[in-house]
Amino acid sequence: MRLRPPRLFLGRAAYRRRRLAEATRLVPVLLAALVLIPPIWLPQHFSYARGAVWLAVAWALAILATAALHRALGRPSAEDEDDA
């Protein structure tokens, strides 16, 4: 019986899960940029009401993005390639 040498790289499923986890950590940074940068660059287009709507829309997008990423992370993989 031949022994296989240990794998040098992660399996595809483990690699994908790590990238999804990193994307989830990036969402708050993107939210901060989405909320702060446009009103700073274009203050004439953001009154108090528009700023509140902008904040609410950005917050909702961040919630939806985080929910989608967590749902993708929560799915069990078809095969766990790290154990092989």
Side-chain angles (χ1 to χ4, degrees):
M1 176 188 229
R2 253 173 60 174
L3 295 176
R4 294 173 85 187
R7 290 185 180 175
L8 294 176
F9 301 104
L10 288 174
R12 288 182 187 224
Y15 181 80
R16 185 168 188 262
R17 287 185 60 80
R18 286 188 183 195
R19 297 297 81 84
L20 284 171
E22 289 174 0
T24 304
R25 291 184 197 115
L26 191 63
V27 169
V29 175
L30 293 176
L31 172 66
L34 187 64
V35 168
L36 295 176
I37 292 176
I40 290 173
W41 280 349
L42 304 168
Q44 66 273 17
H45 295 294
F46 288 92
S47 64
Y48 183 76
R50 279 189 183 168
V53 170
W54 182 260
L55 177 64
V57 168
W59 192 278
L61 287 175
I63 291 171
L64 291 174
T66 303
L69 288 168
H70 277 284
R71 177 173 282 224
L73 272 172
R75 284 191 210 132
S77 62
E79 58 187 46
D80 193 7
E81 294 179 338
D82 280 345
D83 293 338

